[in-house]
Amino acid sequence: MIDLTNRVAIVTGAGAGLGRAHALLLAQHGARVVVNDLGDAAVSVVHEINAAGGQARVALGSVTDANFVQQMVDSTMDAWGRIDILVNNAGILRDKTFVKMAIDDFRLVIDVHLMGAVNCTKAVWEIMRTQNYGRIVMTTSSSGLYGNFGQANYAAAKMALVGLMQTLAIEGMKYDIRVNCVAPTAATQMMEGILPAEQLAMLRPDLVSHAMLALVSQDAPTRAIICAGAGSFEMANITLTQGIHFSQQPPSAEGLLEQWVELADRRGEFVPQKGFEQSRHELKKAGFFV
């Protein structure tokens, strides 16, 4: 059993749905939990955890407010002396086709999902570095990984979180800060009206939370993208094909299109461990060894 006794966790957007399920599961495994959200629902989650014998504190405010986030982190440190786990879960939807989407709605979704996660992660990062331990989960989405009609703003924010995770996992490795993504399919308020009721019933948020728990455990991996829903789990990867090389310089766009099938051939594709591996791969095909 994963034992989180003496660990301190912050869960954003934890007043209902997926965030609430995360907070409850963390508390059940012994963590002290800061429950963040905008309204009184977060207070109810705190009461629920405390009534069950756990320890929880409420933090009412928006993750888009960097000053509030810093106050939340400072008060947590004052009360409990450490922060081991951050689950960046807060989010909103403003779905419309791109042609109808107001730019303010695009910015708002980016601000909550991406900059909210940046604000919270930045506020705990030095604490985790100093204590040589940290577990951070970003909430991405298949909409970001693969696209979804009417969700250009949401998809952009969710894919940006993957890039943030990739780099922070590299930077945090020396300090045992492990950073991962979970891509949930869960019947939350944001899913209402999208799927029929019988399918939503299969997508309980608490089923997704077990992926989150694995990613914040002491033995967690780092740089993983775990998809989860309806009791199923998958891993998503961003791969690079072997591709093609033009020995005659400069290459031609026409030649590229002519060899498109070979370019896209997924046999031998791999997952680069750092962005530099693209240039290394390309230089190697050009006859250099770096």
Side-chain angles (χ1 to χ4, degrees):
M1 180 178 174
I2 293 172
D3 185 3
L4 299 179
T5 302
N6 298 323
R7 298 295 187 196
V8 175
I10 296 175
V11 183
T12 68
L18 198 57
R20 172 182 174 274
H22 290 343
L24 293 176
L25 189 61
L26 289 167
Q28 288 167 14
H29 284 260
R32 290 170 284 180
V33 183
V34 177
V35 179
N36 159 254
D37 216 316
L38 294 175
D40 291 339
V43 177
S44 298
V45 176
V46 168
H47 290 331
E48 192 173 354
I49 291 172
N50 290 337
Q55 296 184 62
R57 294 167 51 87
V58 72
L60 297 179
S62 173
V63 294
T64 64
D65 183 344
N67 290 328
F68 159 74
V69 169
Q70 190 60 58
Q71 291 170 6
M72 174 175 68
V73 167
D74 290 344
S75 65
T76 302
M77 291 297 291
D78 289 342
W80 288 332
R82 60 184 298 117
I83 298 171
D84 303 282
I85 295 165
L86 170 64
V87 181
N88 287 306
N89 173 75
I92 59 169
L93 286 178
R94 293 293 186 272
D95 290 357
K96 282 187 179 177
T97 58
F98 192 59
V99 71
K100 296 179 179 179
M101 185 178 294
I103 200 68
D104 285 346
D105 281 343
F106 202 103
R107 286 197 183 97
L108 178 61
V109 169
I110 294 288
D111 202 24
V112 174
H113 289 272
L114 175 59
M115 293 311 301
V118 170
N119 289 338
C120 294
T121 303
K122 182 67 172 176
V124 304
W125 190 256
E126 188 57 34
I127 293 168
M128 291 181 174
R129 273 173 34 108
T130 300
Q131 66 195 19
N132 281 298
Y133 188 92
R135 301 291 183 265
I136 299 172
V137 174
M138 309 289 183
T139 306
T140 185
S141 170
S142 56
S143 295
L145 295 169
Y146 309 113
N148 216 21
F149 187 88
Q151 291 193 312
N153 48 5
Y154 183 73
K158 289 307 192 182
M159 195 58 180
L161 287 168
V162 174
L164 178 63
M165 176 273 288
Q166 297 276 22
T167 294
L168 292 184
I170 294 171
E171 294 183 5
M173 198 171 297
K174 177 180 177 181
Y175 306 97
D176 196 19
I177 303 174
R178 305 183 192 183
V179 191
N180 295 283
C181 282
V182 62
T185 308
T188 65
Q189 288 180 343
M190 291 197 296
M191 290 286 286
E192 289 179 4
I194 297 176
L195 293 174
E198 61 271 20
Q199 293 182 25
L200 289 174
M202 296 291 295
L203 297 172
R204 300 200 323 268
D206 61 290
L207 299 179
V208 172
S209 294
H210 292 277
M212 177 279 306
L213 183 64
L215 295 177
V216 303
S217 67
Q218 184 161 334
D219 297 327
T222 196
R223 297 186 71 187
I225 306 169
I226 302 300
C227 304
S232 294
F233 303 89
E234 304 82 28
M235 181 172 288
N237 289 296
I238 300 172
T239 64
L240 195 68
T241 67
Q242 288 297 315
I244 57 179
H245 173 70
F246 292 89
S247 57
Q248 187 174 2
Q249 300 294 334
S252 71
E254 294 82 2
L256 183 64
L257 291 172
E258 287 172 1
Q259 299 185 58
W260 195 266
V261 172
E262 184 180 354
L263 170 69
D265 190 342
R266 299 190 64 176
R267 290 175 295 180
E269 70 180 2
F270 63 99
V271 180
Q273 294 305 300
K274 292 184 180 178
F276 180 68
E277 288 192 24
Q278 176 186 336
S279 56
R280 179 182 295 164
H281 180 62
E282 292 164 344
L283 288 168
K284 183 178 179 180
K285 288 195 294 181
F288 295 93
F289 293 91
V290 291

